[in-house]
Amino acid sequence: MFVPAIKGQGTEEQQQKWLPLAYKFQIIGCYAQTELGHGSNVQGLETTATFDPKTDEFVIHSPTLTSSKWWPGGLGKASTHAVVYARLITEGKDYGIHGFIVQLRSLEDHSPLPGVTLGDIGGKFGSGAYNSMDNGVLRFDHVRIPRDQMLMRLSQVTREGKYVHSNVPKQLLYSTMVFVRQSIVADASKALSRAVCIAVRYSAIRKQFGAQVGGPETQVLNYKTQQSRLFPLLASAYAFRFVGDWLKWLYTDVTQKLEAKDFSTLQEVHACTAGLKAVTTSATSDAIEECRKLCGGHGYLNSSGLPELFAVYVPACTYEGDNVVLLLQVAKILMKTVSQLTSGKPPVGTMAYMGNAQHLMQCRCAVSTGFFERSPDVVEAAVAHIQLIIVTKFIEKLQQDIPGHGVKEQLQNLCNVYALYLLHKHLGDFLVTGCITPKQGALASEQLGKLYAQVRPNAVALVDAFNYTDHYLGSALGRYDGNVYPALYEEAWKDPLNETVVPEGYHEYLRPLLKQQLKLSRL
Amino acid sequence: MFVPAIKGQGTEEQQQKWLPLAYKFQIIGCYAQTELGHGSNVQGLETTATFDPKTDEFVIHSPTLTSSKWWPGGLGKASTHAVVYARLITEGKDYGIHGFIVQLRSLEDHSPLPGVTLGDIGGKFGSGAYNSMDNGVLRFDHVRIPRDQMLMRLSQVTREGKYVHSNVPKQLLYSTMVFVRQSIVADASKALSRAVCIAVRYSAIRKQFGAQVGGPETQVLNYKTQQSRLFPLLASAYAFRFVGDWLKWLYTDVTQKLEAKDFSTLQEVHACTAGLKAVTTSATSDAIEECRKLCGGHGYLNSSGLPELFAVYVPACTYEGDNVVLLLQVAKILMKTVSQLTSGKPPVGTMAYMGNAQHLMQCRCAVSTGFFERSPDVVEAAVAHIQLIIVTKFIEKLQQDIPGHGVKEQLQNLCNVYALYLLHKHLGDFLVTGCITPKQGALASEQLGKLYAQVRPNAVALVDAFNYTDHYLGSALGRYDGNVYPALYEEAWKDPLNETVVPEGYHEYLRPLLKQQLKLSRL
């Protein structure tokens, strides 16, 4: 994250100086923004960078405990440098948050430089995963850096201490944010399809109960209760893949527009990427855990691959913009768009549909006043808007040529499953607004049941199509060859506890207990 | 789990012989039921216990890989004995699953006895928690045990190999199951209130954003989006507590009835406990993870206490009856009750309300035929039935005297929050059946918003009332004194990574990398 910050906010000279160093490993850099007391509200960060015109330096300082930098990955033990975000103070005035390149550790012996306190912030969710990352804590005690280590692409401080803006438009920074968030959407599809692949394959192997006691048992995948939980997730994996592909295109498109100083679609693009990031990551987190539960008890074993997939994935709901905060931003843009419908400026892109809503045109609504009071409702509206985008992009995908005999039909089934599953999930909203009748609601549920029956024969093929290797899946339950039970059994014996037959501690603790020689007071 | 099995299914002589040994630690016993290939479907277990009349012994055997016992807690490394569930075969006939007391390890040196293979099944979800439990794998190669180690309370095998039933009614076994499940419901309330306590307290301390940039920031607990996610969980914690208390009474009541050979309420009690187990554990699992997310990034740290609470809790959805399987059992009883409405046998207890539904009386419905086809719908019906029980018991609690000035009013608010939250969540079902009008649905949502505002001033007091010590909560975020940030900061430094300033491996890996002396082929 060091590199994009310099690319996005550094001047050309700064890029020429620092990027080769970072690329060639002569420094290890991290992106130090969040603090112990501030995450989402970047403007509330407390670290200060006060300009000292006497020495032409910035003094970086952590004035409070809550201003300690907290969370940056790679900071705790590895980084030699950081891009530190701090309040720029010059001529006694606070100009808000800016980025500064700060050296943290000696390049000779890796010890923290004077005035720099560094450490790891401790254990995290899961047994592996992010625990191999040294998320760090960082405090500054009046650390001085040269003035030219302020990232000066957008604004500068002169030798005399004057704060001046450059003529580079601020909007250019959005490009990096759009890039990062579109890659998160792509990752959501990847993580979800991984979990779904494991759950579908194991559900085809696992058998429980049967039509009659003592008779052959039924594949769990044949149970309607299993299908109704699993197939919407399978459909979601495909839906997120297609909307992710489209988002890649959108990123290229907006980057070109930004370079041509065309900012007309920026707000809509921001709503798209922020909203899709929030909706796909929340849905994927929940879905991975649901897939784990759909694997029964064995899903709780690390050898299923699912516990770690979950623990590694869930931070996506929080990093790069907390999902609720992002949805509130989307909601705000939606409200603004609705309130401008009568202004003659038609909504663009994924919001164009609003222009068709004649009755919305009537409302010059005073939405802004009640906005925070009604925030849970407008968040739901934002989610609905994003779900509409996902369904639309799925449908658009199906309007293209899709190679392979019968593939389009299968995708059509999944598209219908995804859309009807959303309708079923949010039935109340559809009914309360009169969009559909209760009878239509019941028909939709019935149709969903029929679609599950059509997906069933192709379910395994639809996850095989993700083309994940067993090595990548890392799951005894999700093996391509279906030899689940030998794999689980074999994995078990690899546990370090099985290195000895009689466990360590038997002679010291267990035996005295069994022989009643252990004093009860020691228990 | 060794002890209840012997108590429930052993004869009086067996109890007199084995229970004192187990209590006095001369043996360590576990309950070996589930197998690699079978969990929920107990009747599908494959381990065999074949009676050999020549020697008056049972031969315990694992005929397949999938028949390996898998999951029993304490089996892998500690247990000396197990109650093993196996198919009883005598005179060439399979009499289904019965329990047998089998010695697994030598009492002299703890080594597995001949024919017994034992091991741990490997790492599990979370970084601590169930990883300190040696869930085990166990295989038998024709292991012989004396005939009197079959648990013979309900049925016996004679010296000649005849299979005979005792006159002890099978229904008496339900008592143990009801006991275990009512304690799971009580635990759900405990786990949920722990998570809610952490999230509410931290939300009162944590501030993000404010009415104006640069101005004072707002407590996160004041945001409507936070309230709408958190307060229904707070209400659920209380709701589960009250229904759990009632379930304890129900257990005592049914035990007395069973002892008097009165089985009239057994089916209804079974539906209650199975359904409440399923609904409260599923809701609690989801709620703990939601509380973690409501704590933002810091919830991902182990020092928040939430990751481990989640990892330890989630197996409750699977053990002692998979939640979906249990809900299908509840649904089956509901369908049966409806179909018997015209029989003149009025439904009892928590199902009594069905007797009042005149229109249900009309349907002699053929529900049983379509049961499996419609299983996702009937599972939803079972959930609704259980939620009705929870709301009812909350209301009944409020009809009692509640000491403390104003306490009843606060509980009344939470009861309304819980009921309206369920209505909001399942709005589609209420609308589609015409139980409420769209206008009433909108009013309910509006009322919910008003209730949140009433809960807000007392939210912290309502979690303080759980009276958990900081030691028990184990959370830097959930501290009673609110000194969250110093606690988080202090916890961080306890991480073993912080024992050295320059990390281990710097000289071997990092320095050569930085100095470009590390060959790239080694990466």
Side-chain angles (χ1 to χ4, degrees):
Chain A
M1 294 304 297
F2 184 78
V3 168
I6 294 175
K7 267 192 177 167
Q9 294 166 59
T11 60
E12 269 184 41
E13 301 83 69
Q14 288 174 322
Q15 295 182 33
Q16 275 167 17
K17 177 177 172 188
W18 291 100
L19 293 182
L21 288 172
Y23 281 127
K24 286 194 180 166
F25 302 121
Q26 281 166 14
I27 63 172
I28 302 171
C30 75
Y31 180 89
Q33 180 180 299
T34 54
E35 297 176 353
L36 190 50
H38 286 92
S40 296
N41 183 13
V42 177
Q43 296 310 318
L45 295 175
E46 297 176 79
T47 304
T48 52
T50 310
F51 183 63
D52 180 354
K54 275 180 258 153
T55 58
D56 197 21
E57 289 171 321
F58 284 104
V59 182
I60 312 288
H61 187 60
S62 310
T64 60
L65 181 73
T66 48
S67 73
S68 309
K69 292 293 170 189
W70 193 267
W71 276 115
L75 171 67
K77 294 287 144 183
S79 291
T80 58
H81 291 67
V83 168
V84 173
Y85 286 80
R87 318 195 71 80
L88 190 163
I89 297 164
T90 183
E91 297 184 320
K93 199 179 155 193
D94 180 339
Y95 286 91
I97 304 304
H98 293 72
F100 302 85
I101 298 171
V102 186
Q103 182 172 351
L104 307 174
R105 286 183 169 94
S106 154
L107 292 180
E108 279 317 304
D109 64 7
H110 210 63
S111 60
L113 295 186
V116 173
T117 305
L118 280 164
D120 186 279
I121 59 169
K124 284 148 283 183
F125 203 174
S127 56
Y130 270 98
N131 286 302
S132 62
M133 164 73 87
D134 58 328
N135 297 90
V137 48
L138 162 63
R139 289 180 61 75
F140 296 103
D141 182 7
H142 299 94
V143 171
R144 290 180 168 262
I145 58 166
R147 180 172 55 96
D148 70 359
Q149 284 178 212
M150 169 184 168
L151 294 176
M152 295 214 190
R153 190 169 178 210
L154 293 184
S155 46
Q156 292 98 39
V157 168
T158 66
R159 176 66 191 88
E160 296 74 33
K162 284 262 164 302
Y163 180 84
V164 287
H165 282 289
S166 76
N167 56 2
V168 175
K170 204 178 162 186
Q171 287 92 332
L172 286 184
L173 291 192
Y174 272 92
S175 176
T176 313
M177 205 149 80
V178 172
F179 175 77
V180 171
R181 288 185 182 157
Q182 67 82 20
S183 72
I184 293 178
V185 174
D187 288 346
S189 165
K190 239 181 259 169
L192 177 51
S193 55
R194 231 171 117 170
V196 164
C197 182
I198 295 169
V200 167
R201 285 182 180 169
Y202 180 48
S203 297
I205 296 298
R206 183 178 172 214
K207 294 177 181 179
Q208 294 282 299
F209 300 103
Q212 53 198 68
V213 176
E217 290 184 292
T218 306
Q219 286 165 289
V220 170
L221 194 55
N222 289 343
Y223 288 106
K224 296 285 169 188
T225 44
Q226 191 84 353
Q227 293 176 5
S228 70
R229 292 162 73 196
L230 189 49
F231 289 170
L233 309 182
L234 173 60
S236 303
Y238 275 91
F240 295 176
R241 167 77 169 263
F242 297 143
V243 82
D245 288 346
W246 169 76
L247 209 52
K248 264 184 206 129
W249 168 84
L250 191 71
Y251 165 67
T252 317
D253 185 64
V254 78
T255 305
Q256 285 166 357
K257 286 200 170 93
L258 287 177
E259 277 164 12
K261 303 227 161 58
D262 169 6
F263 306 135
S264 62
T265 63
L266 197 56
Q267 182 171 273
E268 189 252 335
V269 168
H270 173 65
C272 262
T273 44
L276 280 168
K277 185 271 179 186
V279 168
T280 58
T281 57
S282 284
T284 297
S285 295
D286 293 349
I288 295 171
E289 172 63 5
E290 184 75 354
C291 284
R292 195 189 62 72
K293 289 201 188 108
L294 286 165
C295 291
H298 297 346
Y300 193 68
L301 281 171
N302 286 342
S303 55
S304 76
L306 291 164
E308 279 308 288
L309 186 57
F310 182 74
V312 175
Y313 190 76
V314 288
C317 297
T318 312
Y319 62 52
E320 297 297 332
D322 175 87
N323 284 353
V324 174
V325 175
L326 291 182
L327 287 172
L328 282 169
Q329 292 177 9
V330 175
K332 223 170 181 169
I333 294 171
L334 291 181
M335 297 298 133
K336 198 173 152 193
T337 307
V338 170
S339 68
Q340 290 176 344
L341 280 180
T342 49
S343 71
K345 202 179 142 196
V348 296
T350 55
M351 293 190 184
Y353 71 91
M354 292 184 187
N356 301 328
Q358 283 301 322
H359 65 279
L360 285 176
M361 303 288 280
Q362 312 306 323
C363 37
R364 285 187 164 269
C365 57
V367 276
S368 59
T369 53
F371 185 78
F372 275 104
E373 209 46 45
R374 308 291 298 172
S375 52
D377 296 332
V378 296
V379 163
E380 285 182 34
V383 169
H385 170 69
I386 297 298
Q387 286 167 340
L388 179 69
I389 295 176
I390 301 175
V391 172
T392 306
K393 296 304 158 192
F394 207 145
I395 293 170
E396 284 176 12
K397 174 77 187 178
L398 291 172
Q399 286 161 349
Q400 298 166 20
D401 271 344
I402 292 172
H405 180 67
V407 173
K408 188 178 257 192
E409 281 161 40
Q410 295 308 319
L411 293 178
Q412 184 67 59
N413 281 342
L414 290 182
C415 182
N416 293 344
V417 164
Y418 185 69
L420 287 176
Y421 152 73
L422 290 178
L423 191 148
H424 182 74
K425 191 174 168 189
H426 301 283
L427 187 58
D429 295 326
F430 285 94
L431 290 171
V432 95
T433 52
C435 288
I436 63 166
T437 64
K439 197 176 159 62
Q440 288 169 326
L443 279 175
S445 299
E446 205 184 306
Q447 182 61 19
L448 206 45
K450 287 182 188 157
L451 283 166
Y452 292 153
Q454 286 171 40
V455 171
R456 168 62 189 93
N458 298 288
V460 173
L462 283 164
V463 299
D464 286 351
F466 297 135
N467 206 18
Y468 292 140
T469 61
D470 282 341
H471 177 78
Y472 177 76
L473 277 183
S475 168
L477 301 183
R479 289 170 64 96
Y480 180 73
D481 65 8
N483 285 332
V484 164
Y485 296 114
L488 271 175
Y489 193 78
E490 215 174 283
E491 277 303 312
W493 295 103
K494 293 180 188 162
D495 192 276
L497 266 183
N498 290 326
E499 280 168 17
T500 54
V501 176
V502 174
E504 273 185 59
Y506 166 71
H507 287 282
E508 193 176 354
Y509 299 106
L510 266 185
R511 196 180 152 84
L513 182 84
L514 289 164
K515 300 291 175 193
Q516 300 197 34
Q517 291 158 355
L518 195 68
K519 282 188 192 141
L520 283 175
S521 62
R522 289 191 56 189
L523 291 176
Chain B
M1 294 304 298
F2 184 78
V3 169
I6 294 174
K7 267 190 177 168
Q9 294 165 59
T11 60
E12 270 185 39
E13 302 82 68
Q14 287 174 323
Q15 295 182 34
Q16 275 168 16
K17 177 178 172 188
W18 291 100
L19 294 181
L21 288 172
Y23 281 127
K24 287 191 179 168
F25 301 121
Q26 282 168 13
I27 62 172
I28 302 171
C30 75
Y31 180 89
Q33 180 180 300
T34 54
E35 297 176 355
L36 189 51
H38 286 92
S40 296
N41 183 13
V42 178
Q43 296 310 318
L45 294 176
E46 297 176 80
T47 304
T48 51
T50 310
F51 184 63
D52 179 355
K54 275 178 260 159
T55 58
D56 198 22
E57 288 171 322
F58 284 104
V59 182
I60 312 288
H61 187 60
S62 310
T64 60
L65 181 74
T66 48
S67 73
S68 310
K69 292 293 172 190
W70 193 267
W71 276 116
L75 170 66
K77 294 287 144 181
S79 291
T80 58
H81 291 67
V83 168
V84 173
Y85 285 81
R87 318 195 72 78
L88 190 163
I89 296 164
T90 184
E91 297 184 321
K93 198 179 155 194
D94 180 341
Y95 287 91
I97 305 303
H98 293 73
F100 303 84
I101 298 171
V102 185
Q103 182 171 353
L104 306 175
R105 286 182 168 95
S106 153
L107 292 179
E108 279 318 303
D109 63 8
H110 210 63
S111 59
L113 296 187
V116 173
T117 305
L118 281 164
D120 187 278
I121 59 168
K124 285 148 284 183
F125 202 174
S127 56
Y130 270 98
N131 287 302
S132 62
M133 164 73 88
D134 57 328
N135 297 88
V137 48
L138 162 62
R139 289 180 60 76
F140 296 104
D141 182 6
H142 300 93
V143 171
R144 290 180 166 262
I145 58 166
R147 181 171 56 97
D148 71 359
Q149 285 177 213
M150 169 184 168
L151 294 177
M152 295 212 189
R153 191 167 177 212
L154 293 183
S155 45
Q156 292 100 37
V157 169
T158 66
R159 175 65 190 87
E160 296 74 33
K162 284 261 162 307
Y163 181 84
V164 286
H165 282 291
S166 77
N167 57 2
V168 175
K170 204 179 162 186
Q171 288 93 333
L172 285 184
L173 291 192
Y174 272 93
S175 175
T176 313
M177 206 150 79
V178 172
F179 175 77
V180 172
R181 289 186 181 157
Q182 68 82 21
S183 72
I184 293 178
V185 174
D187 288 345
S189 165
K190 240 182 258 169
L192 176 51
S193 55
R194 233 172 116 168
V196 164
C197 182
I198 296 169
V200 166
R201 284 182 180 168
Y202 179 48
S203 297
I205 297 299
R206 183 179 171 211
K207 294 176 180 179
Q208 294 281 299
F209 300 102
Q212 52 199 68
V213 175
E217 290 184 292
T218 306
Q219 286 165 287
V220 169
L221 194 54
N222 290 342
Y223 288 106
K224 296 286 169 187
T225 43
Q226 191 84 354
Q227 294 176 4
S228 71
R229 293 163 72 196
L230 189 49
F231 290 171
L233 308 183
L234 172 61
S236 303
Y238 275 92
F240 296 175
R241 167 77 168 265
F242 297 143
V243 83
D245 289 346
W246 169 75
L247 209 53
K248 264 185 205 126
W249 168 84
L250 191 71
Y251 165 69
T252 318
D253 185 63
V254 79
T255 305
Q256 284 168 357
K257 286 201 171 94
L258 287 177
E259 277 164 13
K261 303 228 161 55
D262 169 4
F263 306 134
S264 62
T265 63
L266 197 56
Q267 182 171 272
E268 188 252 335
V269 168
H270 172 65
C272 262
T273 45
L276 280 168
K277 185 271 179 188
V279 168
T280 59
T281 57
S282 285
T284 297
S285 295
D286 293 348
I288 295 170
E289 172 63 5
E290 183 75 353
C291 284
R292 196 189 62 72
K293 289 202 190 107
L294 285 165
C295 291
H298 298 346
Y300 193 67
L301 281 171
N302 286 343
S303 55
S304 75
L306 292 164
E308 278 309 288
L309 186 56
F310 182 73
V312 175
Y313 190 76
V314 287
C317 297
T318 311
Y319 63 52
E320 296 297 332
D322 174 86
N323 284 354
V324 173
V325 175
L326 291 182
L327 287 172
L328 282 169
Q329 291 176 10
V330 175
K332 221 169 183 171
I333 295 171
L334 290 181
M335 297 298 132
K336 197 173 153 194
T337 307
V338 170
S339 69
Q340 290 176 343
L341 281 179
T342 49
S343 71
K345 202 179 142 197
V348 296
T350 55
M351 293 189 184
Y353 70 91
M354 292 184 188
N356 301 327
Q358 283 302 321
H359 64 280
L360 285 177
M361 303 289 279
Q362 310 307 321
C363 38
R364 284 186 165 269
C365 56
V367 276
S368 57
T369 53
F371 184 77
F372 275 104
E373 210 44 46
R374 308 292 297 171
S375 52
D377 296 332
V378 297
V379 163
E380 285 183 34
V383 169
H385 170 69
I386 298 298
Q387 286 168 340
L388 179 69
I389 296 177
I390 302 175
V391 172
T392 306
K393 296 304 157 192
F394 207 146
I395 293 170
E396 284 176 12
K397 175 77 186 178
L398 291 172
Q399 287 162 348
Q400 298 166 20
D401 271 343
I402 293 172
H405 179 68
V407 173
K408 188 179 257 192
E409 281 161 40
Q410 294 308 319
L411 292 179
Q412 184 67 58
N413 281 341
L414 289 182
C415 182
N416 293 344
V417 164
Y418 185 69
L420 287 176
Y421 152 73
L422 290 179
L423 192 147
H424 182 73
K425 192 174 167 190
H426 301 283
L427 187 58
D429 296 325
F430 285 95
L431 289 172
V432 96
T433 53
C435 288
I436 63 165
T437 65
K439 197 177 157 62
Q440 288 169 326
L443 279 174
S445 298
E446 204 183 306
Q447 182 62 19
L448 206 46
K450 288 183 187 157
L451 283 166
Y452 292 153
Q454 287 171 40
V455 171
R456 168 63 188 92
N458 298 289
V460 174
L462 283 164
V463 298
D464 285 353
F466 298 135
N467 206 18
Y468 292 140
T469 61
D470 283 340
H471 176 79
Y472 177 76
L473 277 183
S475 168
L477 301 183
R479 288 171 65 96
Y480 180 73
D481 65 8
N483 286 331
V484 165
Y485 296 114
L488 271 176
Y489 193 78
E490 216 174 282
E491 277 302 313
W493 295 104
K494 293 180 188 161
D495 192 277
L497 267 183
N498 291 326
E499 280 167 17
T500 54
V501 177
V502 174
E504 273 185 60
Y506 165 72
H507 286 282
E508 193 175 354
Y509 300 106
L510 266 185
R511 197 180 152 84
L513 182 82
L514 290 164
K515 300 292 176 191
Q516 302 197 33
Q517 291 159 355
L518 195 67
K519 283 191 191 135
L520 284 172
S521 62
R522 288 190 59 190
L523 292 176

